[in-house]
Amino acid sequence: MATAPTDLDKPADQDPPATPSARRMAAERGIALQALTGTGPGGKITKQDVEDAGQRVFSSPTADAEGSPPKTGEEEGGDIISASPLARRMAEQRGIDLASVSGSGPKGKIVKADIENYDPARVQEQPLKAPPADTGAQTNHAATGHGMQPPHEIQTLSNVRKTIARRLTDAKRTIPHIYLTLDIQLDPLLELRTSLNDSLESQDLKLSVNDLLIKALALALKQVPSCNVSFQEERIIAYARQDISVAVAAPSGLITPIIRDAGAKSLSAISLEMKMLAAKARDGKLQPHEFQGGTASLSNLGMFGIKQFDAVINPPQAMILAVGAGEKRAHVVGEAIELATVMSATGSFDHRAIDGADGAKLLSVLRGLIEQPLALLA
């Protein structure tokens, strides 16, 4: 099967003007800059131009075995997203997945106005499309593996699930993750939680372990601000406030409501806000400002008995903390080995913006706050 020719087959004449990031990306992906048309100032080739060229090459149609003409991305389900360069830049800056945007330009092209008018709440509330009528391609179980294909059904992805799939794939493909794990003794934190819940019983308020972890992560980021950052193009944005995105499993898919300025809020305020946001997430009623943004994320699978896991960074953030279950283990306390409740915590860091030493420092500060938790009340 021969691949159809693309713009990259043009001969190289001279080195065209391009940004440093565009040159690096082109070299990494084996793309000739001479074959690209720049959309930057004075026709300069930008990183987005290289990414667009990579998508065209990756999606180049091929002729089928019978020599029929190749299909376009739109004919095969719209895998190629048509958008203006300005719309792409605006979407990247705002953390918007183009797959979830409906284009109003010619032939459905996404333009600047579509990004400006984008409302994630409408995307979240759109119902699942009904699966297409049964066809031979969907129900003919004998078509693959000489009749050994197991019975199955094909489920159409919702817009939310498409967005999750695309963002997580882009994150793993483009972000160099570094993972750091340490064990933290939970007993002091659990004792403090029990004491606080006893005193809050009259107010009908009950703190969860996750509430205390949100506060601990926010204070750790406050003490290690080099980890409270995001990487964008050729710059690093350092945040003065700790806005913690918390992973919540909703019927439509994973979503991350945000506790803003968590480092400055009391534990009771964090608990009340988190309960409200989690309920709205499960009901599909979160407003855009309640889940867009955030400077770092927390994902907790301890309630499912998971011991340890590595979470995928939520771009444009540069770190996410993954915590597992607290379980009884032999643990060194002082100079002795004792039975203690221990939790494994893993930080995933964007190595473009956060060095390993800074990530290690953040986890060390976090452990100190959890093992000596009175600082969470200050």
Side-chain angles (χ1 to χ4, degrees), residues 29-259:
R29 301 187 179 185
I31 296 175
L33 290 175
Q34 293 83 356
L36 305 184
T37 300
T39 61
K44 179 177 286 189
I45 296 172
T46 65
K47 178 182 176 183
Q48 187 63 55
D49 297 328
V50 179
E51 290 180 343
D52 291 344
Q55 291 176 359
R56 291 197 299 271
V57 172
F58 182 80
S59 304
S60 291
T62 57
D64 62 23
E66 298 180 2
S68 58
K71 297 179 180 179
T72 66
E74 291 180 358
E75 291 173 333
E76 295 185 313
D79 290 335
I80 301 176
I81 299 175
S82 176
S84 69
L86 177 58
R88 289 184 182 278
R89 286 195 294 273
M90 290 176 64
E92 182 177 358
Q93 292 169 358
R94 301 185 184 191
I96 297 174
D97 186 353
L98 290 174
S100 64
V101 181
S102 297
S104 61
K107 295 184 179 181
K109 187 172 186 176
I110 299 172
V111 297
K112 174 185 176 183
D114 299 323
I115 303 300
E116 292 177 334
N117 299 327
Y118 175 72
D119 184 359
R122 290 202 301 266
V123 175
Q124 185 182 13
E125 293 171 0
Q126 285 183 6
L128 286 172
K129 295 180 180 179
D134 288 345
T135 65
Q138 293 174 309
T139 60
N140 184 3
H141 307 315
T144 305
H146 303 290
M148 299 302 294
Q149 180 77 0
H152 63 277
E153 64 175 333
I154 297 176
Q155 299 177 349
T156 302
L157 293 181
S158 67
N159 285 330
V160 172
R161 178 56 63 183
K162 286 179 182 178
T163 299
I164 293 171
R166 188 177 296 274
R167 286 178 62 83
L168 293 184
T169 299
D170 288 344
K172 288 295 286 185
R173 180 188 294 132
T174 62
I175 298 177
H177 286 57
I178 178 174
Y179 305 102
L180 304 175
T181 303
L182 49 64
D183 292 335
I184 303 174
Q185 185 183 1
L186 277 181
D187 295 296
L189 187 80
L190 297 178
E191 292 172 4
L192 174 64
R193 173 178 175 255
T194 299
S195 177
L196 290 174
N197 281 338
D198 288 343
S199 63
L200 293 170
E201 187 175 1
S202 60
Q203 302 179 37
D204 196 26
L205 179 63
K206 188 174 183 179
L207 302 176
S208 69
V209 172
N210 219 43
D211 297 333
L212 278 72
L213 293 179
I214 293 170
K215 177 74 172 184
L217 176 57
L219 292 181
L221 288 168
K222 190 173 185 178
Q223 293 185 40
V224 189
S226 57
C227 291
N228 196 36
V229 298
S230 67
F231 180 90
Q232 296 184 11
E233 284 287 343
E234 298 177 359
R235 59 183 182 173
I236 292 176
I237 300 178
Y239 299 102
R241 192 177 71 186
Q242 304 82 40
D243 293 350
I244 307 301
S245 302
V246 184
V248 173
S252 59
L254 184 69
I255 195 165
T256 52
I258 303 167
I259 302 294

Side-chain angles (χ1 to χ4, degrees), residues 174-369:
T174 62
I175 298 177
H177 286 57
I178 178 174
Y179 305 102
L180 304 175
T181 303
L182 49 64
D183 292 335
I184 303 174
Q185 185 183 1
L186 277 181
D187 295 296
L189 187 80
L190 297 178
E191 292 172 4
L192 174 64
R193 173 178 175 255
T194 299
S195 177
L196 290 174
N197 281 338
D198 288 343
S199 63
L200 293 170
E201 187 175 1
S202 60
Q203 302 179 37
D204 196 26
L205 179 63
K206 188 174 183 179
L207 302 176
S208 69
V209 172
N210 219 43
D211 297 333
L212 278 72
L213 293 179
I214 293 170
K215 177 74 172 184
L217 176 57
L219 292 181
L221 288 168
K222 190 173 185 178
Q223 293 185 40
V224 189
S226 57
C227 291
N228 196 36
V229 298
S230 67
F231 180 90
Q232 296 184 11
E233 284 287 343
E234 298 177 359
R235 59 183 182 173
I236 292 176
I237 300 178
Y239 299 102
R241 192 177 71 186
Q242 304 82 40
D243 293 350
I244 307 301
S245 302
V246 184
V248 173
S252 59
L254 184 69
I255 195 165
T256 52
I258 303 167
I259 302 294
R260 300 192 184 277
D261 203 10
K265 291 180 177 176
S266 66
L267 289 171
S268 58
I270 290 174
S271 180
L272 290 171
E273 187 174 347
M274 193 64 237
K275 287 181 174 63
M276 179 269 294
L277 289 172
K280 292 179 70 174
R282 287 189 289 268
D283 293 339
K285 296 180 179 179
L286 282 176
Q287 298 301 307
H289 70 274
E290 294 174 320
F291 63 87
Q292 286 184 349
T295 65
S297 292
L298 171 67
S299 181
N300 186 349
L301 294 180
M303 66 287 294
F304 299 107
I306 301 300
K307 182 176 181 179
Q308 185 273 334
F309 67 103
D310 301 331
V312 180
I313 293 172
N314 180 24
Q317 298 174 12
M319 75 85 53
I320 181 171
L321 180 70
V323 297
E327 58 183 11
K328 293 295 184 180
R329 305 183 204 168
H331 189 68
V332 177
V333 180
E335 297 297 325
I337 297 179
E338 298 180 3
L339 190 64
T341 306
V342 178
M343 172 188 76
S344 293
T346 299
S348 303
F349 301 93
D350 183 344
H351 217 340
R352 299 172 300 178
I354 301 175
D355 294 331
D358 289 328
K361 183 177 180 182
L362 177 75
L363 291 184
S364 179
V365 170
L366 178 74
R367 177 168 58 185
L369 289 167

